[in-house]
Amino acid sequence: DNSNTSTNSDTESFYKAGPGIVSYVPFPAEYISPINNSELNSETTLVTLEWEAEDLDGDITGYDVYFDTNSQPTLFESDVLTTSLTAVSVTSGTSYYWRIMTKDSLGNKSSSAIFTFSISE
């Protein structure tokens, strides 16, 4: 049969998805030192803020450290590459508040709780 008529047939496309990209937000950092709610000796003039952080992806790129005498601490130092900040100046008779913002390579961030310590008078 010779016919110049064409017909359209339904065509279906199938797509098989590959493995998705999974990205985990880092766990909020936990304090190591000074111990939360501790009172340090009045002769203390410098402290080391030390924390630990984990990320299931293992792609933590740095930390923003918030530190202040205000209970809602402000940014003190950004893009810290280690899990401690040394030689932070403190004054006797003062309470301090700090928290850590953990950042990873995909832009995920997590904020720790606010930690506090004081220097006795």
Side-chain angles (χ1 to χ4, degrees):
D1 180 21
N2 254 347
S3 170
N4 290 336
T5 310
S6 63
T7 60
N8 292 329
S9 65
D10 292 337
T11 57
E12 294 183 30
S13 296
F14 293 95
Y15 172 77
K16 182 176 178 187
I21 297 173
V22 177
S23 173
Y24 295 98
V25 174
F27 292 108
E30 292 290 332
Y31 69 87
I32 293 177
S33 176
I35 294 173
N36 197 32
N37 295 311
S38 63
E39 185 172 329
L40 305 180
N41 185 305
S42 63
E43 296 172 7
T44 304
T45 58
L46 297 173
V47 296
T48 296
L49 301 177
E50 188 175 3
W51 61 91
E52 62 183 359
E54 293 182 46
D55 183 43
L56 292 176
D57 301 323
D59 63 346
I60 292 174
T61 57
Y63 307 92
D64 290 342
V65 178
Y66 293 74
F67 179 78
D68 208 324
T69 56
N70 183 320
S71 64
Q72 295 299 315
T74 57
L75 183 61
F76 183 72
E77 192 161 331
S78 61
D79 299 322
V80 175
L81 300 178
T82 61
T83 56
S84 66
L85 197 58
T86 59
V88 177
S89 183
V90 293
T91 305
S92 65
T94 307
S95 293
Y96 294 93
Y97 302 87
W98 62 292
R99 72 178 175 94
I100 303 299
M101 179 73 68
T102 305
K103 303 182 289 186
D104 76 11
S105 65
L106 293 174
N108 296 315
K109 298 178 182 180
S110 68
S111 178
S112 71
I114 295 175
F115 312 121
T116 184
F117 66 93
S118 61
I119 311 299
S120 60
E121 288 191 46

